[in-house]
Each structure stands twice: as C-alpha cells, then as structure tokens.
Amino acid sequence: MKLSELTAEQGLEAIANSLEHIGNIADDDDALSLCRELAPREGDKYIKIFARGAKTAPRLLKTHKDDVIGILAAFELQTVEEYKKTHKLMDVIKGMVDLVNEPEVRQLFFSVPTGATDGHSGDAQENTEEKA
C-alpha cells in the first residue's frame, strides 16, 4: 500500500511500526549506504535503478532481512507474521522497489533536512562578530 493512500491514522501506525526497523538499518552505516544506493536519482531509467538494486539489495537483505520484512509489513498494515504467511519472494522484491520509488517515502526517509548541510550551527553567538 502506498504511503499516500493511507489515512492519517493508518499512516501514523505504519510509521510507528516501521521506525524500529528503520532505526536498525540507519544505525548500520553500511546498510544505510546501501539504502541510499537503492533510492532513484533524478533522470534515472528503470534499468539503472534495477542495476544498482541488483548490486546492493543482496547485501542489505543478508544483514537486515527481518528489518526489511518489518518495514514492508508495517506499510501493508500487517504484523510481520501475517506478512510472512501471505507474501512470496516476488512480493518482497516488488514491495522494496515500490517503497523506495514512492516520492513520499523518499522525501520522508531519504532527503536531507533543509539547512542540514549549510555549515552553520544555528548558534547566534557563533555567527556574530563584535565590530570594533
């Protein structure tokens, strides 16, 4: 199910149920790097996305299989057990591709917060100088 199709309550539930799994991946620098590689880039053709996925997804799945399934289950509004019983391998692959390609998911989880890379700390004292 697409994030944009969920009601507010369903969306909050899906996010709440996926955060632990997302955190597990985000805490693993190698896994986080793999996720960034899976995210589509502007102007990418599907074959390019597939090629990057073919190189990176196996490593991610070997180290975070349960987290990937947990995230997919959360966005399908299912428990992990329900998801495992009702989905086949191709469902998991399609779910990963669909989730990573969804603009709302990319914006929410893959984008850099505004101002996060501008080099300023936001400390007013640090950014002001006394003129003599």
Side-chain angles (χ1 to χ4, degrees):
M1 182 175 290
K2 290 186 174 193
L3 187 61
S4 60
E5 295 173 354
L6 299 176
T7 66
E9 186 174 335
Q10 289 172 325
L12 290 173
E13 181 180 337
I15 291 170
N17 291 338
S18 66
L19 283 178
E20 180 180 350
H21 302 290
I22 292 168
N24 291 340
I25 293 170
D27 278 344
D28 180 342
D29 290 338
D30 187 46
L32 187 59
S33 173
L34 293 172
C35 287
R36 287 188 180 124
E37 281 299 307
L38 287 172
R41 299 177 187 136
E42 184 142 351
D44 269 353
K45 301 283 186 215
Y46 183 78
I47 192 71
K48 279 291 212 186
I49 298 166
F50 179 82
R52 279 198 315 272
K55 292 176 187 172
T56 58
R59 284 181 31 217
L60 180 63
L61 290 173
K62 285 179 183 177
T63 56
H64 289 280
K65 174 183 68 172
D66 292 334
D67 291 317
V68 169
I69 290 173
I71 292 166
L72 294 173
F75 284 96
E76 288 290 326
L77 304 175
Q78 295 182 322
T79 66
V80 170
E81 294 75 26
E82 289 171 332
Y83 188 89
K84 286 180 178 180
K85 287 179 184 176
T86 59
H87 290 77
K88 304 289 185 206
L89 173 64
M90 290 310 294
D91 297 323
V92 173
I93 293 169
K94 182 179 182 322
M96 287 175 57
V97 170
D98 288 349
L99 196 60
V100 171
N101 281 314
E102 190 173 344
E104 290 86 357
V105 172
R106 286 198 321 258
Q107 180 68 31
L108 187 60
F109 296 112
F110 292 107
S111 66
V112 177
T114 304
T117 60
D118 66 2
H120 299 290
S121 69
D123 185 347
Q125 290 180 351
E126 178 183 272
N127 296 328
T128 58
E129 292 181 21
E130 189 175 312
K131 297 200 179 200

